[in-house]
Amino acid sequence: MNNLKWCRCAVLAAAIGAVAVPAFAADIGKIKVVRGQVGVERAGATHAASVGMRVQAADTIRTGDDGSVGITMDDDALLSAGPNTVLVLDRYAFDPTTSQGKFDSTLNKGSLAVISGRIAKQSPDAMTIRTPTAILGVRGTSFAVSAHE
């Protein structure tokens, strides 16, 4: 009987702890190159992008007229956004042991060049990029896409 009470208390404590501690977004990649004006919007605030800055799921990357940015994702995918780009890193999950995961992003405007990483190479349907007019399924390759207003 004591084991049952202990078990219930442990489960209750874990549940309370899970609710009481705020969840922090995990880092999913790193900015490797910044030229010109580049900002990272996160949780309602805009931060000037800098080399070495980590990006997180739900971040919005914005480049100015003179801006460009290069990002290496944790699965070794390479993203390169050109001037006047708005790129949202919608969803990212990656297991480095199995190379399984999911990467969804939205290119609202501008240009983006991609060299896919281990996620797309492991699972052909696991990476998508949405634009205002199309959804691209990445199949373990490199490509460039642009979206204009």
Side-chain angles (χ1 to χ4, degrees):
M1 191 70 141
N2 285 338
N3 285 341
L4 182 59
K5 285 183 183 179
W6 181 86
C7 209
R8 286 182 183 159
C9 287
V11 169
L12 181 59
I16 290 170
V19 172
V21 176
F24 294 99
D27 294 337
I28 61 172
K30 183 186 288 189
I31 295 177
K32 295 289 193 168
V33 177
V34 175
R35 291 194 176 87
Q37 182 181 6
V38 180
V40 177
E41 295 177 9
R42 179 181 300 151
T46 300
H47 309 277
S50 61
V51 172
M53 181 180 191
R54 299 288 296 176
V55 295
Q56 300 176 352
D59 281 355
T60 298
I61 313 300
R62 289 185 186 269
T63 62
D65 292 343
D66 65 342
S68 64
V69 64
I71 302 170
T72 300
M73 303 303 291
D74 286 350
D75 75 326
D76 299 324
L78 304 175
L79 310 178
S80 180
N84 297 312
T85 294
V86 178
L87 174 67
V88 182
L89 305 175
D90 297 311
R91 183 170 82 167
Y92 187 90
F94 175 61
D95 180 341
T97 303
T98 64
S99 294
Q100 293 290 324
K102 184 78 175 153
F103 184 15
D104 295 325
S105 60
T106 302
L107 179 66
N108 289 318
K109 72 173 191 171
S111 59
L112 179 68
V114 176
I115 298 174
S116 62
R118 292 184 279 168
I119 289 174
K121 290 174 183 165
Q122 178 69 22
S123 301
D125 295 326
M127 183 178 183
T128 59
I129 298 178
R130 296 178 186 277
T131 71
T133 57
I135 298 174
L136 291 85
V138 180
R139 302 289 186 260
T141 187
S142 60
F143 63 94
V145 62
S146 65
H148 302 285
E149 295 179 310

